[in-house]
Amino acid sequence: MRLTRRKVIQGGASATLSAALTPPVWAQTTLQADDRTLNTLSDGNLVLPKSFAFGGTAPEGADEMLARYGITGDSMTPDCNVTLLRSGDRTILFDVGAGQEFMPSAGKLLDAFDTLGVDIFDVTDVVFTHAHPDHLWGVRDDFGDLLFPDATYHMGRAEWDYWTDPDTVSTIDEGRVTFAVGAQSRLELLAEQINLFEDDQEILPGVLSRMTPGHTPGHMAFEVQLGSESIMILGDSIVNHHIAFEKPAWLSGSDQDPELGVQTRLGLLDQLSTSQMRLIGFHLPGGGLGRAERHGDGFVFVGEET
């Protein structure tokens, strides 16, 4: 593996601290068909207040529901799953994780790369679901340069237009101002290497875009062809494995447009449960791979280990 400037920085400090403070991270799931290999890679996890799931007062029964999933304290620690697709001469990364400037519990993607034997110079394409910090901020290395210098970058036009609009910083809600500032500074680096696309477009061979707004204005999911089946990379259009599945009509505090997020979530869950298409969720447990199944008047996430 080629030495990167990031590895030079990490070498001294992390050698003594990582074993004690950082849990191991790795390639969590692997799917193969024909000449295509799909992995989910751990970028670590987030640490969020439980109230973040609701954006205000928790609905009746919410605490009891979360307790059934082992969430009983004041915080949640959702996994962060980045997807890697290797197909022929292409190595395609879906989102890039949080990098080193968002949360100390995240930004572990390069450890998973090491486990797979993948180098940053191998990445030919980076595809973004959206521009929130845990999906975008890892695009920049510790020196402020692009971490994947040889890649072509792909983002939905509506998402790009929103985050590069100078007015977004002053119009976004106060709690997300740092999201907007961080997005603009990073997207400026991509201006010469960005491919913008629309809904329902084959952006790369066997990769179809699917507009899934609500979490952000231009959020995209992607249907990836793998042999005879398609797998839906959800990003944050379905953001957790408990409330979003059991009570998809509840408003989510993580969505920038909660009402639109409900419409998107209901439509996706209906499609995924009916077709039994496999899915990968960025914040779903166990690497994020599984299926949605109907359960009463809601749904349940059925995880899958490979």
Side-chain angles (χ1 to χ4, degrees):
M1 177 171 287
R2 293 167 67 176
L3 188 66
T4 69
R5 290 185 297 171
R6 175 171 177 166
K7 289 186 177 296
V8 172
I9 289 177
Q10 288 180 328
S14 65
T16 57
L17 294 179
S18 61
L21 301 180
T22 306
V25 291
W26 53 85
Q28 299 185 93
T29 61
T30 302
L31 300 175
Q32 290 182 301
D34 301 325
D35 67 338
R36 305 195 119 193
T37 301
L38 185 149
N39 296 99
T40 64
L41 313 179
S42 173
D43 191 52
N45 65 271
L46 302 183
V47 180
L48 301 172
K50 192 164 64 174
S51 60
F52 192 71
F54 311 112
T57 304
E60 184 178 355
D63 287 339
E64 290 80 2
M65 182 192 307
L66 290 175
R68 287 193 277 105
Y69 291 88
I71 302 171
T72 57
D74 295 327
S75 64
M76 300 185 296
T77 57
D79 294 343
C80 297
N81 307 301
V82 175
T83 301
L84 183 74
L85 174 66
R86 286 172 286 178
S87 177
D89 61 353
R90 289 187 182 274
T91 297
I92 305 167
L93 194 62
F94 293 86
D95 294 328
V96 294
Q100 302 303 299
E101 298 180 73
F102 187 50
M103 287 188 182
S105 58
K108 315 300 182 184
L109 179 61
L110 291 187
D111 295 326
F113 266 43
D114 287 346
T115 300
L116 280 182
V118 175
D119 191 274
I120 59 173
F121 296 96
D122 296 335
V123 177
T124 59
D125 299 270
V126 174
V127 180
F128 294 106
T129 60
H130 64 298
H132 276 172
D134 50 329
H135 299 255
L136 170 67
W137 284 18
V139 78
R140 197 165 67 183
D141 68 16
D142 297 313
F143 291 84
D145 298 323
L146 290 177
L147 182 60
F148 306 103
D150 298 334
T152 298
Y153 294 83
H154 308 263
M155 181 176 283
R157 186 177 300 275
E159 188 75 356
W160 174 272
D161 288 347
Y162 175 76
W163 293 104
T164 57
D165 183 344
D167 292 334
T168 295
V169 173
S170 57
T171 57
I172 200 169
D173 66 88
E174 183 177 354
R176 290 184 169 96
V177 169
T178 56
F179 290 15
V181 173
Q184 288 188 0
S185 67
R186 287 161 178 82
L187 295 181
E188 287 175 356
L189 295 175
L190 305 182
E192 301 300 319
Q193 294 169 247
I194 194 72
N195 171 52
L196 301 179
F197 57 87
E198 311 292 342
D199 184 26
D200 196 27
Q201 182 176 337
E202 188 174 32
I203 62 170
L204 292 164
V207 179
L208 182 69
S209 62
R210 172 76 180 273
M211 188 72 169
T212 49
H215 188 70
T216 62
H219 189 287
M220 287 280 183
F222 301 95
E223 291 186 32
V224 175
Q225 192 70 30
L226 197 70
S228 61
E229 70 170 317
S230 291
I231 298 171
M232 183 78 78
I233 297 174
L234 294 171
D236 283 358
S237 53
I238 302 176
V239 78
N240 59 56
H241 65 294
H242 34 76
I243 294 168
F245 279 82
E246 285 202 31
K247 299 293 183 181
W250 283 5
L251 300 182
S252 172
S254 69
D255 291 340
Q256 290 185 222
D257 185 335
E259 290 82 8
L260 183 55
V262 166
Q263 295 178 36
T264 292
R265 195 157 50 246
L266 287 169
L268 274 174
L269 286 168
D270 180 67
Q271 175 197 349
L272 292 166
S273 62
T274 299
S275 67
Q276 279 298 284
M277 182 188 297
R278 287 201 279 190
L279 58 89
I280 296 172
F282 193 86
H283 294 301
L284 302 185
L289 177 68
R291 301 180 192 269
E293 293 186 359
R294 290 190 180 275
H295 183 73
D297 57 0
F299 301 84
V300 62
F301 172 64
V302 181
E304 179 178 338
E305 297 181 2
T306 63

